[in-house]
Amino acid sequence: MKPKPAQPARPGRQEMGGPVFFLPTLGSTGGRRPRLVRVATGSAMSETGHMSLDRYLDAIASKTPSPGGGAVAATTGALASAIAQMVVAYSIGKKSLAEHQDALGEASDRLERARTLLLGLAEEDASAYQRVNELMRLPEDDPRRIESWADAVTTAVRVPQSILATSADLARLLETLCERTNRRLASDLGVAAVLAEATARAAYWNVRINLPLMDDERERVRLDHESAAMVRDTRERAERVELACARESGEMTTESAT
């Protein structure tokens, strides 16, 4: 049974005038955090975030091009953020974690923003794929296709790459929570790590499937290497979080037995 949490003030949703993408700057090292770049290409309010779970699953399962894999990846990341935020909520206000309260408050805010951002990116991914799909139906010499193709393809790559970068940032944050959160929720933090890695790997599939549509080969290679580095970084961090959570769970089991 979960312990009763303290009730911290719930941070407000991030105010965004347009979808905000994580544009990665990790390069080959995977060591730096991605930077936020505002890209105003549509509404920031995601319909996905206001659909019931049943309706959303029906939309995914239906015979329509979108929502598809990219939206599923982003939603998985939102779930990772949400369960991690629950772990933090059960840690705020605990006397044994008094020295970490400021960091926990900041983590809660960041997880809230990540959840909002990922739900927005789920919607953006569906829109990006729909736009490419519509252009592909036009003849290759159609002026509308010629004029819009490069921008549409770039967006179709950048959106899932933004999902991937967000999951990498999430895994980085989760790693800092291992020693700062309620030990009784170690399994939930482990679940968040598993979902963050799944988000990264799923988003990478959507980056790779769209890269061949880009005309610039050098840019294709650069984006692929950049994305692969983020996947590796996310996997390594998620594994470290899982190991830390397993140790905490093992110690809890031992204490209960004695």
Side-chain angles (χ1 to χ4, degrees):
M1 180 178 295
K2 297 175 183 176
K4 184 177 180 181
Q7 298 296 324
R10 185 176 180 84
R13 286 188 177 275
Q14 185 183 28
E15 295 296 325
M16 297 185 291
V20 180
F21 297 166
F22 272 114
L23 299 187
T25 57
L26 296 178
S28 60
T29 64
R32 299 202 308 272
R33 289 180 57 190
R35 57 191 174 89
L36 273 172
V37 176
R38 187 176 298 278
V39 183
T41 58
S43 171
M45 182 59 68
S46 168
E47 293 181 9
T48 302
H50 297 283
M51 294 174 68
S52 69
L53 181 58
D54 283 347
R55 281 187 59 206
Y56 187 49
L57 293 178
D58 285 343
I60 293 170
S62 64
K63 191 178 179 180
T64 55
S66 61
V72 169
T75 306
T76 302
L79 286 170
S81 301
I83 196 167
Q85 194 172 6
M86 181 196 74
V87 173
V88 171
Y90 275 100
S91 305
I92 290 176
K94 282 187 68 67
K95 293 180 179 179
S96 61
L97 299 172
E99 63 183 300
H100 302 304
Q101 292 303 298
D102 289 344
L104 288 170
E106 180 184 350
S108 182
D109 290 345
R110 289 178 61 188
L111 290 165
E112 176 79 11
R113 289 194 297 271
R115 180 157 55 99
T116 302
L117 175 60
L118 284 160
L119 286 178
L121 287 170
E123 189 74 16
E124 288 299 319
D125 184 84
S127 298
Y129 181 77
Q130 184 175 358
R131 185 183 179 200
V132 170
N133 195 46
E134 290 172 354
L135 290 175
M136 290 182 72
R137 295 176 181 175
L138 299 175
E140 291 187 8
D141 59 352
D142 189 296
R144 291 170 295 175
R145 174 168 174 163
I146 294 172
E147 180 181 357
S148 303
W149 181 255
D151 180 62
V153 169
T154 297
T155 302
V157 171
R158 282 298 194 180
V159 173
Q161 193 183 41
S162 297
I163 297 168
L164 169 52
T166 307
S167 67
D169 199 46
L170 176 59
R172 208 170 282 116
L173 175 58
L174 295 177
E175 197 172 11
T176 69
L177 296 178
C178 294
E179 305 291 332
R180 297 175 176 173
T181 49
N182 193 327
R183 295 171 60 197
R184 294 184 182 277
L185 281 85
S187 63
D188 296 294
L189 190 62
V191 168
V194 170
L195 293 179
E197 181 186 350
T199 300
R201 294 176 62 187
Y204 184 39
W205 272 105
N206 286 272
V207 171
R208 292 182 67 185
I209 198 66
N210 290 320
L211 280 175
L213 301 176
M214 299 185 74
D215 295 327
D216 188 334
E217 182 179 1
R218 183 173 297 179
E219 182 69 0
R220 289 200 306 267
V221 171
R222 186 187 69 80
L223 290 173
D224 187 41
H225 287 174
E226 193 174 66
S227 299
M230 284 191 285
V231 173
R232 289 192 299 271
D233 183 63
T234 305
R235 179 185 294 118
E236 290 168 2
R237 292 181 187 277
E239 287 176 352
R240 288 196 289 270
V241 173
E242 283 195 81
L243 286 173
C245 291
R247 286 195 297 269
E248 291 287 351
S249 298
E251 289 174 7
M252 289 292 296
T253 301
T254 301
E255 290 174 5
S256 298
T258 58

